[in-house]
Amino acid sequence: MHANWKTWVHVTKLDPDKRLPKGAVEEIATSGTDALMLSGTLNVTRENLHELLDLVSAYGLPLVVEPASPDCAIFDKGVDHLFVPSVMNTNDVRWVVGKHYAWLRQASSIDWEMVVPEAYIVLNPNSAVGRVTGADCSLSAGDVAAFAEVADRYFKFPIVYIEYSGTYGDPAIVQAAAGAVEHATLYYGGGIRSAEQAAEMGRYADTIVVGNAVYEEGIDVLRATVRAVQ
């Protein structure tokens, strides 16, 4: 029985390449967040991913692994879902389908019931994910809405993810994406560091993702972002 990710409004993203202070995991797990997402772009290995998984799996929260590469697509006990991104706004086919093909070629088996495809629209050119994927981040609200609609209505992605990755995005862009999506769940991630920002993006996105604030602002800010959307 896998967790019902469609009901989540707040997800906390933890990076296997970053260290948390002692006691922080328990505070995060009891903050009221709906789920934990283990995800990162750089220096993520099966080893540090398993290490983080071991730290967080005892708290009973739904756990999602969002692999940056085929090597990190793990189906370990305790993992509820594998959220697998495809980047819509890149001309590099590896990040649309190439990595996914390589994953299937090397995997001995895949539990498809755990896999949730994500249509990523990456909008921060200075972020690691923007640089690595070669995403075209100079998009208008109309451009983003078109990508969101084609992901939702044509490709039938269950999640459309507006990713500003480390910087706070433009609410008008997120609103445009929300207006274009009919069936998919709209995720927003990037730069949320206050209750006000969480509430603002939560007006348009079905689910907000808070990541860097956990490491840079602390548990009180995380709790405030939870209260703002729940």
Side-chain angles (χ1 to χ4, degrees):
M1 184 72 179
H2 299 305
N4 185 6
W5 57 267
K6 293 180 182 180
T7 65
W8 302 341
V9 296
H10 187 287
V11 172
T12 301
K13 181 182 282 192
L14 301 179
D15 189 335
D17 190 44
K18 295 180 179 178
R19 295 293 171 186
L20 289 163
K22 188 175 181 180
V25 171
E26 183 172 359
E27 291 187 317
I28 292 165
T30 57
S31 66
T33 190
D34 292 309
L36 301 179
M37 180 185 291
L38 313 187
S39 173
T41 301
L42 299 176
N43 304 315
V44 178
T45 65
R46 289 182 75 90
E47 290 72 27
N48 60 21
L49 186 55
H50 277 116
E51 184 180 341
L52 181 56
L53 182 61
D54 289 342
L55 281 176
V56 301
S57 59
Y59 293 95
L61 271 182
L63 293 179
V64 170
V65 170
E66 188 182 57
S69 68
D71 291 342
C72 294
I74 62 171
F75 295 94
D76 292 32
K77 184 179 179 181
V79 176
D80 291 284
H81 292 291
L82 210 67
F83 280 15
V84 181
S86 288
V87 179
M88 295 289 98
N89 55 320
T90 179
N91 291 325
D92 188 341
V93 73
R94 290 178 301 168
W95 301 104
V96 182
V97 72
K99 296 279 186 178
H100 314 69
Y101 163 80
W103 173 38
L104 265 67
R105 290 291 292 158
Q106 73 182 44
S108 57
S109 65
I110 292 175
D111 182 352
W112 287 108
E113 292 299 312
M114 291 178 61
V115 176
V116 182
E118 301 173 293
Y120 253 61
I121 303 170
V122 178
L123 294 172
N124 180 2
N126 299 315
S127 65
V129 64
R131 295 192 305 270
V132 167
T133 64
D136 177 8
C137 301
S138 59
L139 302 181
S140 67
D143 294 329
V144 171
F147 273 122
E149 186 168 356
V150 78
D152 176 40
R153 300 302 297 273
Y154 184 81
F155 288 109
K156 309 296 185 186
F157 276 92
I159 292 176
V160 173
Y161 195 128
I162 306 300
E163 172 64 295
Y164 274 90
S165 191
T167 192
Y168 190 65
D170 182 349
I173 294 277
V174 184
Q175 184 178 16
V181 168
E182 184 171 342
H183 304 292
T185 298
L186 185 65
Y187 271 54
Y188 170 82
I192 293 177
R193 291 179 170 83
S194 70
E196 293 74 22
Q197 290 176 335
E200 183 172 45
M201 289 306 184
R203 281 197 288 271
Y204 308 119
D206 299 300
T207 309
I208 65 164
V209 180
V210 178
N212 286 350
V214 174
Y215 300 92
E216 297 169 6
E217 309 295 336
I219 190 65
D220 289 340
V221 167
L222 178 65
R223 290 194 185 106
T225 65
V226 172
R227 290 193 297 269
V229 293
Q230 288 187 343

